[in-house]
Amino acid sequence: MPAERPESPEPPGVAPPVPARLDGLPSRLLNLAAMRADRVVGEKLAGADSRRWHYAVLAVLAESGPASQAGLSRRTGIYRSDMVAVLNELAERRHVERAPDPDDRRRNVVTVTPSGRRHLARLDLLIAEAQRELLEPLTEPQRGQLVELLTRLTAGGHP
């Protein structure tokens, strides 16, 4: 006979309280915020049949011009092994073109196409919507402060 589970004191659909030692941990709160941000951005971009890596590659190419796959990997934080798949997806949709580098025929140079620029403009709007949704509970000054603080944190503590 299976053991009976103790009754949960919370009504169905209500999350149990977070233990006090977890409740205010900055690392936990940052992780929860990052998971929410990833979900919100992912849902918005999925509406345009895209992913955050598509956006990152198109943004780098649009702002910086043609780049090698290795250079794109460094600038976007996408692992080199994953970059090929991202570029294949973008190339299939005609958002980027790859051509041999005239200085080193062993590597490719990736360029954003006019179609890629139009797609990036659409993704920019979706990213802006996602940011508004994500930061909706904050006032404008709080949003600016959050960006400033996160920038400091991600710089490794260097001002």
Side-chain angles (χ1 to χ4, degrees):
M1 179 176 261
E4 288 189 35
R5 291 185 172 186
E7 295 270 333
S8 172
E10 295 80 28
V14 175
V18 175
R21 66 172 32 129
L22 295 178
D23 194 33
L25 284 176
S27 57
R28 179 179 174 275
L29 294 170
L30 283 167
N31 188 51
L32 291 172
M35 289 189 311
R36 182 167 178 261
D38 193 51
R39 180 184 50 77
V40 169
V41 169
E43 288 172 359
K44 293 288 183 197
L45 293 179
D49 192 28
S50 283
R51 298 180 295 126
R52 63 188 172 114
W53 295 130
H54 295 159
Y55 181 74
V57 168
L58 292 173
V60 166
L61 292 172
E63 288 186 20
S64 303
S68 69
Q69 291 179 192
L72 285 170
S73 179
R74 284 190 300 277
R75 304 263 329 262
T76 60
I78 301 171
Y79 291 116
R80 288 175 125 178
S81 57
D82 295 333
M83 181 59 72
V84 173
V86 172
L87 292 175
N88 285 344
E89 292 168 357
L90 291 169
E92 286 172 10
R93 297 170 186 163
R94 303 194 193 302
H95 297 321
V96 299
E97 291 177 344
R98 286 182 279 203
D101 184 334
D103 297 327
D104 183 352
R105 310 285 282 164
R106 295 170 295 174
R107 70 179 192 171
N108 286 321
V109 173
V110 182
T111 306
V112 65
T113 64
S115 168
R117 288 186 187 281
R118 287 189 299 275
H119 189 64
L120 178 59
R122 180 173 180 211
L123 297 183
D124 281 335
L125 295 173
L126 295 172
I127 289 290
E129 283 180 29
Q131 303 312 295
R132 281 191 297 276
E133 181 178 327
L134 180 65
L135 300 176
E136 190 275 327
L138 304 178
T139 64
E140 281 300 320
Q142 289 172 329
R143 292 174 188 195
Q145 184 179 23
L146 177 64
V147 169
E148 180 184 330
L149 293 171
L150 290 171
T151 300
R152 288 175 63 188
L153 281 175
T154 57
H158 303 293

